[in-house]
């Protein structure tokens, strides 16, 4: 289980996270929702150690990950698909996948697993990632994260700008990871996607985690969407 306990963090003198707490459990999808600038992406970066905490802590099982250097966090089994994908554009599809495999010393079996999930990548192994379509780049970024065989998978706006068929593929992948016992933390603004996929929804406002609820509770109280998301 990934646990955030009242974390605070920011950029220099600008404190973005004022107090974020939640628990992402194995085999569940937790969605973070909130307006732009609420602190969702900053929360993801803090989990990955890319932003040092001012206070609070982050743990994965018995390991306090918030005290680790950033390059050690993925080795604990936390995969991250950032907004904008952040691929190595000059490297081929195969080379980007190899980078993911090297992080935790995974091999051919894991490689075949991710290529079976995204067969289009198998057709483009020798193609530079910067030449892929947006949907294919999202596939590759997700595949690279899954090469860690993660126990926790972080996805920041994974369906942004994608066509419906690609959105469905990402959703199917999230469902498979949940079924495999992975804890998925998802930043998503598409309400229908959240209601269909999430087990928990955490609303973040002004750097605070305000409320945690189930999608069924959110359906019964749609006013919360207007309060925290503006729709």
């Amino acid at each position: 289980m990934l646990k955030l306990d009242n974390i605070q963090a920011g950029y220099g003198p600008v404190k973005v996270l004022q107090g974020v707490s939640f628990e992402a459990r194995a085999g569940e999808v937790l969605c973070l929702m909130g307006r732009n600038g609420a602190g969702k992406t900053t929360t993801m970066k803090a989990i990955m150690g890319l932003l040092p905490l001012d206070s609070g802590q982050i743990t994965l099982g018995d390991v306090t990950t918030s005290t680790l250097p950033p390059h050690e966090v993925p080795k604990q089994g936390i995969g991250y698909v950032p907004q904008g994908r952040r691929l190595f554009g000059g490297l081929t599809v195969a080379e980007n996948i190899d980078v993911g495999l090297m992080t935790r010393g995974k091999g051919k079996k894991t490689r075949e697993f991710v290529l079976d999930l995204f067969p289009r990548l198998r057709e483009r192994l020798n193609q530079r990632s910067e030449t892929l379509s947006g949907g294919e780049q999202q596939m590759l970024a997700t595949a690279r994260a899954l090469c860690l065989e993660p126990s926790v998978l972080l996805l920041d706006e994974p369906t942004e700008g994608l066509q419906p068929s690609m959105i469905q593929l990402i959703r199917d992948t999230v469902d498979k990871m949940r079924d495999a016992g992975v804890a998925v933390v998802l930043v998503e603004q598409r309400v229908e996607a959240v209601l269909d996929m999430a087990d928990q929804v955490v609303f973040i406002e002004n750097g605070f985690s305000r409320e945690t609820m189930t999608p069924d509770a959110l359906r019964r109280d749609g006013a919360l969407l207007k309060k925290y998301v503006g729709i």
Side-chain angles (χ1 to χ4, degrees):
M1 178 173 67
L2 178 72
K3 182 176 181 179
L4 279 65
D5 185 8
N6 196 34
I7 67 168
Q8 300 184 28
Y11 306 92
V14 180
K15 183 173 287 189
V16 177
L17 303 182
Q18 309 280 352
V20 173
S21 300
F22 61 76
E23 297 179 358
R25 298 185 286 265
E28 290 190 0
V29 176
L30 182 149
C31 286
L32 301 181
M33 296 193 74
R35 291 182 172 86
N36 289 338
K40 304 181 299 295
T41 293
T42 301
T43 299
M44 296 291 217
K45 290 180 177 179
I47 294 171
M48 294 307 300
L50 300 174
L51 284 176
L53 300 188
D54 296 325
S55 63
Q57 71 173 4
I58 302 171
T59 56
L60 178 59
D62 296 330
V63 178
T64 302
T65 60
S66 50
T67 61
L68 299 175
H71 68 276
E72 291 291 336
V73 175
K75 294 179 182 178
Q76 304 305 313
I78 304 179
Y80 180 36
V81 184
Q83 190 176 25
R85 293 132 195 170
R86 301 292 179 88
L87 297 170
F88 297 103
L91 299 185
T92 65
V93 169
E95 289 167 339
N96 271 276
I97 289 174
D98 286 343
V99 169
L101 293 171
M102 287 188 295
T103 303
R104 299 186 77 198
K106 303 301 179 179
K108 183 177 179 181
K109 181 179 178 181
T110 303
R111 185 178 190 269
E112 291 303 305
F113 170 75
V114 298
L115 290 176
D116 286 343
L117 279 178
F118 303 106
R120 190 176 300 184
L121 297 180
R122 195 186 294 276
E123 301 169 3
R124 290 160 170 72
L125 286 174
N126 295 319
Q127 187 172 333
R128 291 200 317 278
S129 63
E130 63 190 1
T131 67
L132 299 175
S133 70
E136 291 165 346
Q137 289 185 12
Q138 188 64 48
M139 288 183 202
L140 180 54
T142 306
R144 183 179 61 184
L146 294 179
C147 284
L148 277 66
E149 295 186 15
S151 59
V152 177
L153 179 63
L154 311 180
L155 297 162
D156 193 351
E157 299 278 11
T159 64
E160 184 179 31
L162 300 186
Q163 62 187 27
S165 61
M166 291 294 181
I167 291 174
Q168 187 59 50
L169 179 60
I170 296 301
R171 291 176 61 177
D172 289 346
T173 302
V174 170
D175 287 340
K176 289 177 181 177
M177 293 302 101
R178 172 170 51 194
D179 292 344
V182 175
V184 180
V185 180
L186 173 68
V187 171
E188 179 59 78
Q189 294 294 77
R190 298 173 61 253
V191 174
E192 69 277 9
V194 170
L195 295 178
D196 287 344
M197 288 192 294
D199 298 288
Q200 300 184 75
V201 178
V202 176
F203 288 106
I204 296 181
E205 181 186 49
N206 297 328
F208 291 92
S209 51
R210 296 296 190 184
E211 299 195 51
T212 300
M213 61 178 49
T214 65
D216 286 341
L218 185 55
R219 289 187 181 95
R220 292 192 297 267
D221 189 0
L224 286 170
L225 287 172
K226 185 175 182 180
K227 178 180 179 180
Y228 291 118
V229 186
I231 58 174

